[in-house]
Amino acid sequence: ARVRYTYDETTGQPDAQYVPTTIKGKMVGYKVRKFPKEFGSPIGIVGKDCDLIGQFRHTNGGRTVLIVGGEVDYLSADQMLWDYQKRKGNEAYARVAVVSPTVGEGGSVKQIQAQYEFFNSFEKIIIGLDNDEAGRKAAAKYAAVLPKGKVFVAKWSRKDPNKMLTDGLETQFISDFYRAEQFTPDGIVGSGGLLNKIREQALTPKIPLPPFMHKIQKMMAGGIPLGVII
């Protein structure tokens, strides 16, 4: 991934991370993160005009691309997906593409939108942002500017991919990844959940109608459902 690190000569421990940024695949700078969680001054160009982190590795598109919320989640998700692929003996196949915006939520939607053609070169787009309210809202914004019919949303069992990696939940991460559900706007039921809604409706208790209204009762599938104003 061409990520670089510096270390503290006193402790021997890494003290900063340098994640490369690109424009049209050409390296233009580094996004700097000082450990444990402090962003340093960027080197070169780091902004919404850049490609997504990791995009330069997957210029030919492919089957699946995963969008995560930051460079640490990018590295964590990429590691867990590649380790799983190796365990399955599939090293010869193309890797799952993992990408992340280089900027915060304010500019990230525009950055995602600017890479529409890149995302459209994949069969499936999985949004895997933080498992919190902010992450869910951002996922909906991303989905609105991505190719229709290709977008899925992963719900992590912890806050984010990095937390799952550090908690030793690699297997659960893979399960969450493959259980991603197709995105549907609020208020619209996707085809995958439609059958459950039909079952719920069929099992809802109903108030029967008088015998002389038996034809209407049949048309209403048993009468007036409780909790509904007719």
Side-chain angles (χ1 to χ4, degrees):
R2 301 182 187 174
V3 177
R4 299 291 183 262
Y5 296 87
T6 57
Y7 68 94
D8 187 319
E9 294 184 358
T10 302
T11 65
Q13 297 298 313
D15 60 9
Q17 178 187 67
Y18 298 78
V19 179
T21 56
T22 62
I23 294 179
K24 295 183 179 180
K26 181 180 179 181
M27 190 170 140
V28 295
Y30 283 100
K31 184 174 183 180
V32 181
R33 179 190 183 104
K34 295 182 179 180
F35 296 132
K37 195 173 182 180
E38 177 186 347
F39 291 102
S41 299
I43 299 173
I45 303 173
V46 178
K48 62 181 180 60
D49 294 327
C50 292
D51 303 332
L52 301 162
I53 292 172
Q55 182 176 335
F56 72 92
R57 303 169 66 195
H58 307 282
T59 55
N60 295 323
R63 184 174 181 180
T64 305
V65 56
L66 170 64
I67 307 172
V68 295
E71 59 279 356
V72 175
D73 287 331
Y74 157 71
L75 292 168
S76 300
D78 186 68
Q79 175 182 322
M80 289 186 284
L81 287 166
W82 180 236
D83 285 348
Y84 174 74
Q85 192 168 331
K86 289 190 291 184
R87 288 198 302 272
K88 299 288 286 185
N90 294 331
E91 293 102 318
Y93 294 95
R95 300 175 68 140
V96 173
V98 182
V99 295
S100 169
T102 63
V103 295
E105 184 180 335
S108 63
V109 176
K110 291 182 178 180
Q111 190 176 30
I112 294 289
Q113 186 176 28
Q115 302 303 329
Y116 183 95
E117 292 304 323
F118 166 74
F119 286 112
N120 202 31
S121 67
F122 291 87
E123 298 175 21
K124 186 175 184 179
I125 305 162
I126 299 178
I127 302 174
L129 304 182
D130 288 2
N131 184 17
D132 55 22
E133 187 62 25
R136 287 185 284 274
K137 288 181 178 179
K141 292 178 182 179
Y142 285 9
V145 300
L146 288 168
K148 306 302 180 187
K150 293 186 176 185
V151 181
F152 291 71
V153 177
K155 183 178 180 181
W156 308 125
S157 297
R158 293 291 186 273
K159 182 178 182 294
D160 53 39
N162 179 250
K163 181 63 174 172
M164 298 192 74
L165 176 63
T166 56
D167 284 354
L169 298 175
E170 293 95 332
T171 300
Q172 185 60 48
F173 169 82
I174 296 299
S175 179
D176 291 346
F177 173 80
Y178 282 107
R179 287 178 181 172
E181 297 182 354
Q182 190 158 24
F183 173 80
T184 53
D186 288 343
I188 298 177
V189 179
S191 59
L194 188 58
L195 182 58
N196 288 335
K197 292 294 183 182
I198 293 172
R199 287 172 178 158
E200 289 175 11
Q201 185 66 24
L203 295 174
T204 299
K206 298 180 176 65
I207 302 172
L209 302 178
F212 72 90
M213 300 179 72
H214 63 91
K215 289 185 179 180
I216 295 179
Q217 178 165 306
K218 183 177 181 180
M219 293 170 67
M220 296 180 70
I224 301 172
L226 294 180
V228 176
I229 297 175
I230 302 294

